[in-house]
Every structure is written in structure tokens, then in C-alpha cells.
Amino acid sequence: MSELPAAAPRVLLLDQDVALRQALCFSLPLDGYRVEAFGDPDRFSDHLDLAAHDAVIIGHAPPAIHAAPLVERVRSKDQASAILLTATHPTADLVRLAKRHRALLVEKPLLEDSLLQALQSALAR
């Protein structure tokens, strides 16, 4: 695989599903994105302040990962767009959270290029 250009969009990923993290760490660079993946919300949260990023993908999976405080933190810095992944039909609270913070919702399983389209849309904002 060739080296990504320095200007490649940087994406932070938080999801408790190891297989999904590995798959996205493989596939997103093929589409020109730099990816840093985390399974632990605390390590992810600590990393939010360390370096600039263009988009954040958060797998909402209570009780292990609650998206609300993380999305609020990302959007308060107004430096990145957020995408929320959910393994179930989004609850009304999750839909309100997404609307309030202009985050995009994507349901798992990731069909076709739904996440890639959401990522492109998030970065175009």
C-alpha cells in the first residue's frame, strides 16, 4: 500500500467491535483517509485533545460507549464532524443528539458504502 499524503483527512474511530475497527483501519486508508482506532472510550477521549482530526466516528453501544458526551466534546471544539454508528434502530434521544450537534447517523451493519458516503458528507461540511 502506498503512503498517504500529509493532507489526507484524519479520522478518529471509537468502536468496541474489534473486527469492525480492523476492517475500517484496512479499508478507509484505501479510500485516502488516515485512521486512528480505539476500543476504549477513555483512551479515545484522552486522544481527542492531542492532535487535530477532520472527522470522528463513534460507535454508540451503551453501556460501554455513550456517544452523547463524546459528540458534545467533539462539537464544542468545532474542529471535526461526527458520525454516530448504531447497531440498532436509532432511539429518539440519539436522533435528537445527532440533530443538535449536526452529527450523521449510520446504522450497522455497514451496507455498501454507507459509512464512506457519511464520511464524505461530514468532511464537506
Side-chain angles (χ1 to χ4, degrees):
M1 183 171 20
S2 62
E3 185 70 25
L4 289 171
R10 185 162 177 223
V11 177
L12 296 184
L13 166 66
L14 171 63
D15 200 286
Q16 64 184 20
D17 183 338
V18 174
L20 177 71
R21 287 195 317 268
Q22 290 173 338
L24 292 177
C25 283
F26 173 79
S27 64
L28 288 177
L30 295 175
D31 289 307
Y33 299 96
R34 294 183 183 279
V35 179
E36 291 181 67
F38 300 87
D40 177 9
D42 293 329
R43 287 194 58 231
F44 174 84
S45 183
D46 291 343
H47 200 77
L48 280 174
D49 295 328
L50 294 179
H53 42 275
D54 300 298
V56 174
I57 300 170
I58 300 170
H60 177 69
I65 299 173
H66 287 282
L70 296 170
V71 171
E72 290 169 1
R73 189 161 163 214
V74 168
R75 293 305 299 151
S76 71
K77 297 178 183 311
D78 201 31
Q79 68 179 17
S81 294
I83 297 170
L84 297 171
L85 299 180
T86 180
T88 61
H89 185 71
T91 64
D93 287 341
L94 193 58
V95 171
R96 279 192 295 275
L97 171 74
K99 285 182 182 179
R100 183 171 57 247
H101 294 288
R102 295 182 10 230
L104 299 171
L105 278 170
V106 177
E107 290 185 53
K108 297 178 191 174
L110 302 175
L111 301 176
E112 297 177 9
D113 61 352
S114 59
L115 181 59
L116 188 56
Q117 286 179 359
L119 188 54
Q120 291 167 344
S121 178
L123 291 171
R125 293 179 177 192

